[in-house]
Amino acid sequence: MRTDTLAIDFGTSNSAVALAYDGGIYRIPIEREGDTLPTAVFFPAGGGAMRIGAAAGAALIAGEEGRYMRALKSVLGLPLLHESRLIAGRRRTLAAIITEFLRELKARSEAATGLRFPRALSGRPVHFHTNDAEKDAQAEADLRACYRAAGFEAVEFLPEPEAAAIACQGLGRPADLGLIVDIGGGTSDFSVFTNGANGPGIVASHGIRLGGTDFDRATSLAHAMPLLGLGGELRREMGSGLLPVPRAPYVELATWAKIPFLYTPETRRLAADMAKMAVDGRAMARFQRVVEDELGHELAFAVERGKIVANRPGGEWRIAMGFIEPGLAAPLDRAGLDAALASERGTLGAAAVETLTLAGVTAEQIGRVILVGGSSLMGFVAEEMRALCPGAEILTSEAFTAVVDGLALAARK
C-alpha cells in the first residue's frame, strides 16, 4: 500500500484530498474538518497571504477590498492561463494562482497526516475541452506543470468518471453494465463499466465541457440579467431607430471565470454609455452599478442559491438582488429553471447517448446509472437518465467525494 501518493480531486467548484489505508479511505480534513473546500481564492487589496476555500468566500461576503476568483480549472489549456494580470497590486498569472492553491492543499494534507506526499494522483475530466484534442492535451500539460511547481515530484492522472466507478462498484444491485454520470462544476463525464473481481472494467468513457457553472450562467441570463437591461434596446446617438442591448458583457458577467476580468475602464465606459442611451434607463443603471461597484460575484452567488432552492421538489425562490437595488428580485421556480436549462439538458442527454455508442451497447443493457458530482443533484439530470435508460436503477452516490474516494483506492495499488 502506498502512503506517499496523495489523491486529489481538483474541481471547478470544489476540491478534496484523500488517502487510502487498510481500513478504508481517509478524507483529509483540509478545511474546518470538512471533506471538501471551495476551489476559490481571495487576494486582499492591501497585500497579505492568498486565502482559499471558505475563507475566500467569507472575505468577499464581508466586503473586504480585494480580488475573489473561482472556477480556475476552466482556464486550463487556454492562453488566458499564462497572461499576466494586475491582481491586488501584483502582476500574476492564473497558472501561478492554481499552483499556489495546489501547494496549499499539499501543505494542509501533510500537516493533517504527518506524512510527506511527493506524488499525486489527480482526477481529470475525460475532456477538458469538447472536440479539441490540442486544447485537451495542453490543459493536462498545464495542470501537470502546476502540480510540479507546487512541489509534487510526480503526478499521474485518472479520468474522474473512472475513479468514481472504482468507488461505486458495489453500489446497487449487481448488473453486467453500469453507467457513471459525473456532473461537476465545469464538465460532464460518463463511463460505461462492468463488474470485475479486481475492480470495474471501463468499456468506454466520454465527456463534454458542460457543468454547474454553465447551469448558473444559463439561469442568470434567463432570469437575472433581464432586470439589468439584457434584452432591452438602446437609442442611437445619431439618427432614428433602436439598437439591441449587446449580449456579450452580460455573458461575461454570468460566467464565473470571467467576472474578475470584467472590471476594466473599457467595460465601465460601455456601461455608462449604455445607461445614457437605454430605453429602460432604470434597468441599465443597475447593470452600471454592478460593474462600477464590482458586484458580479455577489450576483453569481445569488443566482446559484436561487438555482439550488428552485431545484428542490416544490421549490420556489427568488434570485435576491437587493444588494443592487432594495427589493429587487427575480422569481424562480422549478418550471422556470427547467426552461432556462432545456438546452443544457439536451446536450447532456446527447453526450450520454454518445457514450453508449462508443461502448457499443444499448440503453436497455444498462442495469444501473450512478450519479456523482455536485451538479448531478439537479433534478433534470436524473430525469434525463431515467428517460434514456428506463430499465436501469438510478442511484446517487457520495456526490462530492466519490471521485476522490476512487482516486485514493487507485493510488493504493
Side-chain angles (χ1 to χ4, degrees):
M1 180 182 70
R2 301 197 68 121
T3 58
D4 65 343
T5 302
L6 185 64
I8 303 178
D9 178 15
F10 172 59
T12 301
S13 298
N14 295 282
S15 294
V17 294
L19 179 69
Y21 64 102
D22 291 336
I25 298 167
Y26 177 55
R27 298 173 191 149
I28 301 173
I30 48 179
E31 174 153 278
R32 298 180 181 176
E33 306 304 316
D35 291 337
T36 66
L37 86 167
T39 309
V41 301
F42 182 86
F43 293 95
M50 178 184 82
R51 303 176 202 175
I52 73 169
L60 175 71
I61 293 170
E64 290 189 38
E65 292 292 327
R67 181 60 57 88
Y68 176 88
M69 306 178 78
R70 189 180 175 188
L72 299 169
K73 186 177 177 180
S74 63
V75 300
L76 291 168
L78 302 177
L80 177 62
L81 181 73
H82 302 288
E83 292 179 6
S84 178
R85 303 265 181 163
L86 188 63
I87 300 173
R90 280 183 51 193
R91 300 204 69 83
R92 315 170 194 260
T93 65
L94 295 181
I97 293 171
I98 291 174
T99 296
E100 283 299 312
F101 184 90
L102 294 174
R103 183 179 289 118
E104 183 64 18
L105 292 187
K106 184 176 187 292
R108 291 188 183 190
S109 299
E110 292 178 341
T113 62
L115 299 172
R116 180 175 174 269
F117 298 112
R119 305 170 59 88
L121 177 61
S122 175
R124 58 149 290 169
V126 176
H127 298 299
F128 288 93
H129 298 275
T130 309
N131 298 324
D132 194 324
E134 185 176 346
K135 283 185 180 178
D136 199 52
Q138 184 60 54
E140 181 175 302
D142 287 339
L143 186 54
R144 183 184 302 277
C146 289
Y147 272 109
R148 295 298 298 271
F152 291 97
E153 298 168 12
V155 58
E156 296 181 3
F157 293 97
L158 183 66
E160 289 156 3
E162 297 181 18
I166 295 172
C168 300
Q169 186 184 17
L171 188 63
R173 62 175 183 257
D176 289 335
L177 287 173
L179 174 65
I180 292 288
V181 179
D182 178 10
I183 316 296
T187 56
S188 295
D189 294 313
F190 311 83
S191 284
V192 174
F193 69 97
T194 60
N195 289 320
N198 297 317
I202 303 301
V203 181
S205 295
H206 180 51
I208 55 175
R209 190 177 171 89
L210 177 75
T213 55
D214 300 288
F215 304 160
D216 290 346
R217 180 174 60 231
T219 303
S220 183
L221 290 171
H223 293 279
M225 295 302 172
L227 296 180
L228 306 186
L230 179 62
E233 295 178 309
L234 302 173
R235 301 182 187 89
R236 295 178 183 269
E237 288 192 64
M238 299 180 64
S240 59
L242 300 172
L243 297 170
V245 169
R247 184 177 175 84
Y250 292 92
V251 173
E252 292 193 1
L253 183 60
T255 303
W256 279 101
K258 294 184 177 181
I259 293 171
F261 308 113
L262 188 66
Y263 309 129
T264 64
E266 293 78 13
T267 305
R268 289 186 170 90
R269 283 195 295 270
L270 174 65
D273 290 342
M274 291 197 302
K276 293 176 185 176
M277 307 307 294
V279 172
D280 187 345
R282 184 176 182 183
M284 195 57 68
R286 296 169 187 151
F287 175 75
Q288 185 180 12
R289 182 177 179 199
V290 170
V291 173
E292 290 288 347
D293 293 351
E294 301 189 0
L295 299 175
H297 282 108
E298 285 86 342
L299 178 58
F301 275 117
V303 171
E304 185 180 50
R305 286 192 295 269
K307 178 196 73 174
I308 291 170
V309 175
N311 179 61
R312 297 170 184 165
E316 185 170 351
W317 189 244
R318 301 184 307 160
I319 300 174
M321 302 161 64
F323 53 89
I324 300 173
E325 177 183 293
L328 183 66
L332 183 63
D333 58 15
R334 177 61 188 275
L337 182 63
D338 286 348
L341 299 178
S343 176
E344 284 71 17
R345 175 173 180 163
T347 302
L348 194 72
V353 170
E354 176 65 16
T355 309
L356 300 184
T357 301
L358 291 172
V361 303
T362 66
E364 289 72 24
Q365 292 176 269
I366 300 297
R368 53 182 168 157
V369 176
I370 302 176
L371 306 180
V372 302
S375 294
S376 73
L377 302 176
M378 297 297 295
F380 77 85
V381 175
E383 292 171 3
E384 188 68 17
M385 294 306 107
R386 190 172 289 110
L388 174 63
C389 304
E393 186 180 13
I394 307 296
L395 303 166
T396 301
S397 180
E398 295 286 345
F400 296 98
T401 58
V403 170
V404 79
D405 289 351
L407 289 170
L409 291 172
R412 181 173 60 183
K413 297 179 180 179

